[in-house]
Amino acid sequence: MNAFQAASVKNYSDEDLMEYFQNGKEMAFNELVYRYQNRLHNFLYRYTHNHQDCEDLVQETFLRVHKSKHTYERIAKFSTWMYTIALNLAKSLYKKKQRMYKVPIHKDESDPDDRELLLEDSTILQDDALHEKLSMEKLEQALMELPEDFREVVILRDLQQLTYEEISEITDTPMGTVKSRINRGRAQIQALIKDYVQLGTNA
């Protein structure tokens, strides 16, 4: 590869940066942290509903990336590799605590990159705050009632906007199973909240 140019670090792909980092360029790792810390916080907050746990997991994920840099192979997308590490850490925390925290659907105000789940409901008037509040509460309850394997892929697809291929790799699950779980999870959510709101999702 060409010599690493610190001044143009933002122009490198994630995979380029990881390769430079493997070759001892610490600034490349710093750029990866900058690119992903907010998205990673958003992703992990869905599992913990606890800012301290979330921050600890974000730091631990980047620590694992740093320590395991030579296990990364360029044939894989860096983001997929990193999300797999983060998901495994989150699952380990869940097992350690023997319970899954509530998964919030509402926007995490501390995270500028956080996404709200798309709501489509023609019965909600602009000033009907109570109806909207009840809809969001129902939506949170419905997501928490999903089996963990359904909830996991719905979060990755509809909240993190990852592709089916990425989700398949991250969860080590066949793509057909991933699609089935997403569709079944969405259907269960719609059935649970049908009297309040329709869930808008991307195909």
Side-chain angles (χ1 to χ4, degrees):
M1 299 180 66
N2 296 328
F4 181 74
Q5 298 292 327
S8 59
V9 64
K10 296 186 182 301
N11 296 325
Y12 292 118
S13 70
D14 296 342
E15 292 72 31
D16 285 341
L17 289 172
M18 196 60 190
E19 187 168 339
Y20 280 121
F21 175 47
Q22 289 173 327
N23 291 323
K25 303 297 184 182
E26 194 72 21
M27 187 176 290
F29 174 73
N30 294 338
E31 174 65 17
L32 289 169
V33 172
Y34 174 78
R35 290 181 185 185
Y36 281 98
Q37 58 187 352
N38 287 337
R39 279 181 277 181
L40 200 55
H41 184 282
N42 176 22
F43 172 63
L44 290 167
Y45 187 76
R46 302 294 176 181
Y47 285 90
T48 64
H49 194 48
N50 180 292
H51 285 293
Q52 186 57 57
D53 284 343
C54 177
E55 290 297 335
D56 290 345
L57 284 170
V58 169
Q59 292 182 22
E60 181 62 22
T61 298
F62 285 126
L63 181 61
R64 294 288 181 89
V65 168
H66 196 285
K67 287 183 175 181
S68 305
K69 62 182 179 182
H70 290 300
T71 68
Y72 170 76
E73 297 181 7
R74 195 182 174 96
I75 57 175
K77 279 189 67 176
F78 168 77
S79 59
T80 301
W81 182 70
M82 183 198 64
Y83 273 116
T84 300
I85 293 173
L87 181 59
N88 287 336
L89 288 171
K91 286 183 174 181
S92 294
L93 178 67
Y94 163 61
K95 291 178 181 178
K96 181 179 179 180
K97 295 193 172 187
Q98 293 297 305
R99 68 187 180 89
M100 180 68 78
Y101 285 103
K102 293 180 179 180
V103 180
I105 292 298
H106 54 77
K107 186 175 183 180
D108 175 8
E109 297 297 340
S110 71
D111 184 355
D113 290 333
D114 196 10
R115 299 182 178 90
E116 291 180 316
L117 193 61
L118 176 63
L119 298 177
E120 296 179 353
D121 188 351
S122 59
T123 66
I124 298 182
L125 302 177
Q126 291 297 320
D127 60 349
D128 195 353
L130 177 60
H131 182 91
E132 186 170 2
K133 180 176 183 294
L134 291 174
S135 297
M136 294 306 298
E137 289 175 352
K138 283 291 182 180
L139 192 54
E140 289 185 23
Q141 293 171 11
L143 186 58
M144 290 189 307
E145 290 181 27
L146 292 181
E148 182 182 348
D149 53 356
F150 288 9
R151 180 168 57 238
E152 176 180 285
V153 295
V154 168
I155 289 173
L156 289 169
R157 178 60 181 160
D158 292 327
L159 300 181
Q160 289 297 307
Q161 306 290 303
L162 298 185
T163 66
Y164 292 120
E165 291 82 359
E166 290 171 326
I167 297 171
S168 176
E169 290 186 44
I170 290 169
T171 61
D172 193 24
T173 305
M175 195 184 309
T177 302
V178 167
K179 291 181 178 181
S180 174
R181 288 177 180 176
I182 290 172
N183 289 333
R184 291 169 66 185
R186 289 171 175 173
Q188 287 187 29
I189 290 176
Q190 287 181 319
L192 289 166
I193 65 175
K194 62 183 179 181
D195 293 333
Y196 286 84
V197 66
Q198 293 296 315
L199 176 63
T201 58
N202 295 320

